[in-house]
Amino acid sequence: MKVDGKHYRTIWVADGGSAVEVIDQTRLPHVFAVRRIETADDAAHAIRTMIVRGAPLIGATAAYGMALAMDRADDDGALSAAYELLVATRPTAINLRWALDRVRAALAPLAPALRAKAAWVLAAEICDEDVAICEGIGRNGLELIRQAHARKGGQGPVNVLTHCNAGWLATVDWGTAIAPIYMAHDAGIPVHVWVDETRPRNQGASLTAWELGRHGVPHHIVADNAGGHLMQHGLVDLCIVGTDRVTAQGDVCNKIGTYLKALAAHDNGVPFYVALPSPTIDWTVADGIREIPIEQRAQHEVTRIAGRLADGSVVEVDIAAPGSPARNDAFDVTPARLVTALVTERGVCAASRDGLDGLFPGSAPRRAG
Ligand code: MRU
């Protein structure tokens, strides 16, 4: 997507192939800064501290982390060490493990001297695939927005509520949940987005609103608690969110607060769609609530908040009394029964084992009996 007229992906190869660069998402929306990643440790740090974030992008960054590791040492020990370092950075988004498993499986049988080059090629392939997949999600989701517009008799904008950031910043380009919105806007379908602020890290207010603004998509940031009220008053035509892991039976793990939006949507008869690239499906897991590890993040993300002062400086301030403890679960699970449909690069399906099997036949492990 474009920033001030220049096309960017969120990650790209720099210095003729000895480093990668990323957009530093911890500094948005106040500063657009590029950050260099030169080692596997840099890649791990970028993922852990959320310089890069969003399930597909952390997978892509990890793949480049493996390539950077292989540049320095390419024996079996170095391969395992890089894998273990990177896989431990964030526990919930399955795309991270998916990308690392794919790179490790491709490199392990190769002679060490061939590994670095193969890793760079594969990381680039993973990025290009992500762009193509997200474009496919966009095309399939566009039809849902087109249908919503038709249901309104072509009157007024389609009001879409989204949570967290599942836009191009969360992927290599296009985004997952936001890709259909960009395509609808570009196709001349009037669309307006309710952007959940997404406490505690404010990915909605800081990232989604920033991206939508750059693309000229009308939107309003709303407090996380506002969605149910907006739905009760007929101000939301559909919800669409991204996801960090979808189970084989269609349960959806996404940024904390997603479940409450799905409950409100269910109560108000508002369609609740989840957009996902196929690498986000964890075919080994069925029951999302019991089986998906939920990242626990630092208390200070809840008790403090960052913002820009009038003089342009960005500061963090306390919003709680000193000593008040906080709990910071980063994700929650929305049961499949609350999801109207899953939007993938292959099409739209029911959030169920049969729905997913229909689009991705043979991917699920065989069931006993
Ligand atoms: O903690 P984050 O910012 O990495 O969480 C990101 C999300 O929850 C996104 O909604 C999810 O990764 C889907 S993005 C394509």
Side-chain angles (χ1 to χ4, degrees), residues 50 52-56 58 90 93 163-167 170-171 175-177 201 203 207 241-244 253-256 258 275 277 295 297 330-331:
M50 295 173 69
V52 291
R53 35 123 334 259
I58 63 180
R90 294 195 73 188
H163 192 69
C164 196
N165 174 263
T171 63
T176 56
R201 287 190 65 106
Q203 288 94 329
L207 304 176
V241 300
T243 170
D244 293 80
C253 184
N254 192 46
K255 183 53 57 192
I256 193 81
T258 302
E295 179 178 10
R297 293 191 61 87
F331 300 93

Side-chain angles (χ1 to χ4, degrees), residues 343-357:
V343 185
T344 79
E345 72 271 22
R346 293 204 185 166
V348 177
C349 71
S352 66
R353 206 176 272 280
D354 287 346
L356 284 167
D357 275 353

